[in-house]
Amino acid sequence: MSSEEPTFERFLAAVRGTNPFRSHRITDVGSTEATVASIHKNAFNKLVRVVQDAAKEPTSLGALLIGAPGVGKSHLLARLFQWAGEDKATIVYLHNILASPERMLRYVLNATVSDLAGHRGSDYTQSRLYTILNRALIRTGALKGRKMMTGPKAIEARKEALARLGAQIDPQNAVIPALNAFLTGTSHGSLGDAGAERRAHAAVLWLSGETLGPDEARLLDQAAGDDGLALADDAAVERVLHVLAHLCALAELPLVLCLDQIDNLDPDAVRALMSYAHALLDRAKHLVVIVSGVKQSMLSMRAGEVIPAAAWDRIAERILELHMISPEEARAILEGRLDAALSGFEEKEIEEVIAARKRDRLFPLGGEWLEQRLDGVQELRPRDAILWARDRWEAQQDRLAAVGGKRWLKEWPGPGDDRPRPPVAKLEDVIDAEVRKKLEEGKNRRRLQQASLPPDEDNLASLTHHLLARCAGQGGSTLLSVEHLTPKKRGKAPAYHLLAREKRADGVIVSTGVTFLCAPSGHGARMPLQRMVDDTKHTDKRILVTDEERRPLRLGGAGKAAYDALCKLGRQRFLHLHLDFSGHAELDSLAGLLGAARSQDLEIEHPRGQYRKVTEAEVMASFHRQSLLLAPPVLRELLTEEIVKGGADSVPPPAWDAQQTREHIMAELSWRLGLMAKELAQIFATRKKLPEKRFPEVWSHLKKTAQALHDEGHVHATATDDDLFVQLQSRK
């Protein structure tokens, strides 16, 4: 913690270095950002009642949340998430759900279980799934008062209790055995049993819809056939979700699947996702599905039958439309953020701050300034009010830098904003800058919430196809066409996920097959590799893409033989690209940004103070101008007809004292609402007297350290443009 108490000088430093209005949109529903309970109060209360009703009655409910861009839909969902975290509900937030229509339900299950179990297999005791199972046993009395004792006898008692409870909610005994393997494996694993940890992990894989090999299946006391052990079909996938929803209800933590910004998806994906959501609501008990999107886009999809009428009626059983807010509500939002930002200085009784806040509750923005901005305004978006405040805060920062702290406070609010207006930038430059920031924001968001983007072959194939399909036949690209091959319900699986045709500079047409492999076992890798070997007619080149960070390629005897046969083809005919999590997140962020533009939820200021939407075509043009689609190796390989080397960056990161950096972050946050990682880096670089040219290294290092502290639960980091907003983690 900091050795210095907040003082007036430190308050001035905070004003100079932090802008509490920099973030004007929610990118993380788990954010601790200040909210105002009175804003959209009725809609929030309706959502809460929907969740509470589903907990009490053996039925499932759908809710549709719509409104214009920037009106506060994601903020409302963040408030619901915060409410649920107070021991009220289990919310799974699913965003940018991209998968082939045939595999959409399985990907929803994968993402849901990943969210509930977490992405660290060695720490399942901290997962929500472990809490739900134990709490369900206690709340129903099935555990007979044994509560959370962890000795071998107590663990066996929990196993027997879950089996008894399962007889009521899973009469086919199809899902409970795997949940019991997770429960007992996690419990024994916490006592140091490594084999038990592996059993818990195998259970999570099976519950997620993955295919297990013989070794993993034996951990669950099952036998794997030639095709491995997996959920057989969509009915089996639904059954897992039904059992999870029922257990959540018994734990008095009803399950809520929140499908946010679904209008970002292509029509086929929306149609499949809504059809599956409809089926879940019809057949599950104690489940809530909240669908959120821009009103105009959602109504257009309804009119065009992208969302069938029957699915719409079930999903939109409760419709909550958010409208623009009043000037009084806009003032409340700004006051709320200022209260949170300045509370630490008022608590320490810094006289100058207390006196200024008594004079004007909107200090240092100013009540008169807001009245002038709201003159003649009848209603506005929350986003607009926050953007105004952001600019006003920046003007006060400039004034503070120009005249010093004492004079700034004495003359506050000072003259009007007489800063010279910068020349109007070219529209393309403004779009390019916004695209770069939002792409980095998307990658950072996934890094901070890795469980929200599980390793999944179909998701990777869908993301890659989604991006490549928009480049096929376009000038500057060698790609002529790309096809997403999906397995038929009956019949042989295709050799590849993607089949691409390219035209080389010499006019020769080259066909390329791409297989994505995220198999958790050598058994799961064997058949896909063998299919690639056996395909000698359809392709000139074969590409294998593996997730080497989370699912490194595991090979048994037959799999190794197939892989060796592919390698013998040479690099001109076979290429193995090694993907890491950042590579997966990059593909996801590129696709997500196109979706945001499609749903009219991407805006820029041009010129300053005037906002316009960025179209999907403008985003694609920006991608091409900045060669952003050539950064991911799998895209570059299929767009340029060049050989790409896989693997991580060969340049080693600079050496830093990690503990010293962690202490720096915690100390600075101890007396402030929060700081951007860039601001933390500036303070760090100044104290270390580092040359300006090293600042990018410092900033990158601070972001990585903040992410590590976030993962450990010491801070809460939120992705904001190309940076992170970092706060001390609140302790309940």
Side-chain angles (χ1 to χ4, degrees):
M1 302 295 282
S2 174
S3 59
E4 298 181 60
E5 291 293 335
T7 63
F8 180 60
E9 288 303 318
R10 300 203 83 175
F11 163 73
L12 294 175
V15 173
R16 293 188 187 99
T18 307
N19 189 334
F21 302 98
R22 183 168 294 169
S23 173
H24 58 82
R25 59 193 304 146
I26 288 289
T27 61
D28 169 17
V29 291
S31 171
T32 56
E33 187 174 277
T35 58
V36 180
S38 61
I39 307 297
H40 302 314
K41 181 178 180 180
N42 290 337
F44 176 74
N45 289 338
K46 287 181 181 178
L47 271 184
V48 168
R49 283 197 296 273
V50 167
V51 177
Q52 292 171 335
D53 289 346
K56 298 172 184 175
E57 301 296 332
T59 185
S60 293
L61 297 170
L64 179 63
L65 179 62
I66 55 176
V71 80
K73 297 183 295 298
S74 293
H75 277 81
L76 189 68
L77 293 176
R79 283 175 57 194
L80 186 70
F81 194 91
Q82 292 166 11
W83 169 83
E86 298 171 0
D87 221 21
K88 302 289 179 55
T90 302
I91 295 186
V92 176
Y93 180 78
L94 302 174
H95 175 260
N96 201 28
I97 310 166
L98 200 57
S100 59
E102 300 83 357
R103 303 263 313 173
M104 183 66 75
L105 181 60
R106 198 168 290 256
Y107 184 65
V108 167
L109 175 67
N110 191 356
T112 298
V113 174
S114 176
D115 187 279
L116 294 177
H119 70 282
R120 294 182 207 71
S122 61
D123 197 20
Y124 285 138
T125 57
Q126 303 301 310
S127 70
R128 291 199 285 171
L129 181 57
Y130 188 68
T131 299
I132 289 163
L133 292 176
N134 283 293
R135 180 163 163 160
L137 296 178
I138 294 169
R139 293 298 172 97
T140 59
L143 199 55
K144 297 181 180 178
R146 291 179 183 268
K147 298 197 175 180
M148 288 291 289
M149 296 170 64
T150 57
K153 290 184 178 180
I155 294 172
E156 185 63 23
R158 275 190 276 170
K159 178 180 179 181
E160 294 172 358
L162 183 55
R164 289 193 300 272
L165 190 61
Q168 304 170 32
I169 63 175
D170 183 24
Q172 296 174 307
N173 203 34
V175 181
I176 288 296
L179 288 169
N180 234 331
F182 170 80
L183 177 65
T184 58
T186 299
S187 300
H188 283 296
S190 68
L191 301 177
D193 185 342
E197 281 188 4
R198 290 194 295 272
R199 184 167 70 252
H201 184 57
V204 169
L205 292 173
W206 185 86
L207 290 164
S208 301
E210 300 275 15
T211 300
L212 305 186
D215 293 341
E216 292 82 6
R218 278 192 291 271
L219 291 171
L220 302 183
D221 298 322
Q222 298 284 329
D226 292 340
D227 295 331
L229 177 68
L231 298 171
D233 50 28
D234 285 346
V237 171
E238 277 192 33
R239 194 176 299 119
V240 175
L241 288 167
H242 294 173
V243 172
L244 289 174
H246 207 141
L247 283 167
C248 286
L250 293 176
E252 299 176 9
L253 295 168
L255 179 61
V256 182
L257 297 183
C258 181
L259 311 179
D260 193 17
Q261 299 177 354
I262 69 152
D263 44 339
N264 285 8
L265 305 176
D266 284 341
D268 287 345
V270 173
R271 187 177 292 108
L273 183 59
M274 293 299 95
S275 295
Y276 283 127
H278 178 197
L280 282 173
L281 287 168
D282 274 353
R283 293 192 278 267
K285 297 178 181 178
H286 304 292
L287 174 68
V288 176
V289 176
I290 300 174
V291 174
S292 172
V294 173
K295 179 182 178 181
Q296 182 178 349
S297 301
M298 296 297 294
L299 294 179
S300 176
M301 288 191 290
R302 169 66 189 92
E305 287 292 321
V306 173
I307 303 177
W312 178 275
D313 291 343
R314 193 68 173 90
I315 293 159
E317 192 171 352
R318 310 281 177 89
I319 298 179
L320 301 93
E321 182 177 354
L322 302 190
H323 301 281
M324 292 197 285
I325 60 174
S326 67
E328 293 76 17
E329 290 173 318
R331 182 185 182 97
I333 289 174
L334 302 191
E335 286 183 353
R337 288 214 184 183
L338 287 172
D339 287 344
L342 304 179
S343 61
F345 299 102
E346 291 183 316
E347 288 171 3
K348 296 300 179 181
E349 297 185 354
I350 300 174
E351 294 180 2
E352 296 91 339
V353 178
I354 294 174
R357 293 274 283 163
K358 283 183 177 179
R359 285 165 46 205
D360 191 327
R361 198 63 189 164
L362 283 176
F363 171 82
L365 301 177
E368 185 177 346
W369 159 80
L370 183 60
E371 288 177 8
Q372 292 174 352
R373 288 305 312 248
L374 291 171
D375 185 32
V377 174
Q378 300 298 317
E379 58 181 12
L380 69 160
R381 303 180 306 170
R383 185 181 296 177
D384 296 328
I386 295 170
L387 288 170
W388 294 347
R390 178 203 63 187
D391 292 347
R392 175 63 174 177
W393 189 282
E394 289 178 359
Q396 291 297 325
Q397 287 175 324
D398 290 347
R399 174 71 178 168
L400 175 59
V403 303
K406 291 184 179 179
R407 181 178 169 187
W408 170 74
L409 185 61
K410 181 180 179 181
E411 297 179 354
W412 184 87
D417 183 3
D418 55 357
R419 293 179 297 171
R421 295 290 180 183
V424 177
K426 289 176 56 179
L427 176 61
E428 289 184 351
D429 292 342
V430 176
I431 292 174
D432 288 350
E434 187 70 10
V435 163
R436 287 194 301 273
K437 287 191 298 183
K438 291 307 177 187
L439 284 179
E440 191 63 28
E441 180 181 281
K443 290 188 287 185
N444 286 337
R445 180 173 63 247
R446 291 299 196 184
R447 289 190 191 105
L448 293 168
Q449 307 158 29
Q450 289 195 30
S452 70
L453 190 65
D456 187 278
E457 297 160 3
D458 188 69
N459 175 249
L460 281 167
S462 298
L463 288 169
T464 304
H465 177 260
H466 183 85
L467 296 165
L468 289 175
R470 285 155 175 74
C471 302
Q474 301 299 311
S477 165
T478 60
L479 185 67
L480 297 176
S481 65
V482 60
E483 183 181 0
H484 190 177
L485 308 175
T486 55
K488 306 298 181 184
K489 288 188 176 181
R490 299 177 185 271
K492 188 177 179 181
Y496 310 102
H497 288 101
L498 303 179
L499 187 61
R501 293 172 64 250
E502 297 176 80
K503 185 175 183 179
R504 293 192 323 213
D506 58 6
V508 174
I509 305 298
V510 178
S511 61
T512 303
V514 186
T515 294
F516 297 86
L517 194 51
C518 298
S521 68
H523 181 89
R526 175 175 61 86
M527 289 307 298
L529 292 173
Q530 190 60 52
R531 286 194 291 267
M532 292 181 74
V533 172
D534 294 341
D535 181 65
T536 58
K537 298 180 180 179
H538 300 97
T539 58
D540 302 296
K541 183 165 53 179
R542 287 160 255 199
I543 297 177
L544 174 67
V545 183
T546 57
D547 184 336
E548 289 300 309
E549 181 175 336
R550 296 179 292 173
R551 293 279 177 83
L553 184 62
R554 295 173 59 186
L555 298 173
K560 187 176 186 307
Y563 183 76
D564 289 345
L566 290 168
C567 291
K568 288 178 182 177
L569 296 174
R571 286 182 60 82
Q572 293 298 323
R573 297 180 61 197
F574 172 68
L575 183 63
H576 182 182
L577 296 177
H578 302 274
L579 191 74
D580 58 12
F581 180 80
S582 292
H584 192 168
E586 184 172 28
L587 294 171
D588 177 81
S589 187
L590 287 163
L593 192 57
L594 286 172
R598 185 184 313 115
S599 63
Q600 304 181 46
D601 200 21
L602 181 64
E603 295 180 337
I604 58 170
E605 289 181 86
H606 188 264
R608 184 80 166 182
Q610 297 181 24
Y611 303 99
R612 71 180 294 275
K613 300 184 188 306
V614 182
T615 67
E616 188 177 4
E618 287 174 324
V619 171
M620 277 300 299
S622 178
F623 285 175
H624 290 309
R625 280 195 300 273
Q626 302 184 77
S627 299
L628 295 173
L629 293 176
L630 300 183
V634 65
L635 298 184
R636 185 162 77 249
E637 171 61 27
L638 293 169
L639 292 173
T640 62
E641 186 53 27
E642 65 175 85
I643 294 292
V644 181
K645 293 182 179 181
D649 193 343
S650 60
V651 180
W656 301 100
D657 185 328
Q659 184 58 33
Q660 189 179 72
T661 311
R662 293 164 71 93
E663 291 173 356
H664 163 72
I665 292 174
M666 298 301 288
E668 290 301 317
L669 294 179
S670 68
W671 57 280
R672 311 193 203 210
L673 167 70
L675 281 169
M676 304 301 294
K678 189 171 188 177
E679 294 156 354
L680 284 163
Q682 290 167 340
I683 298 169
F684 186 85
T686 300
R687 289 178 179 169
K688 295 292 182 182
K689 299 180 179 179
L690 296 173
E692 187 175 344
K693 66 180 181 181
R694 295 202 66 190
F695 182 76
E697 300 172 8
V698 180
W699 186 18
S700 176
H701 173 62
L702 263 291
K703 283 194 282 189
K704 289 178 180 177
T705 305
Q707 180 180 338
L709 290 169
H710 170 93
D711 289 342
E712 295 164 14
H714 299 302
V715 305
H716 187 91
T718 304
T720 303
D721 290 338
D722 55 353
D723 206 356
L724 302 177
F725 181 66
V726 190
Q727 302 166 280
L728 281 181
Q729 183 67 53
S730 60
R731 301 294 181 185
K732 295 180 182 177

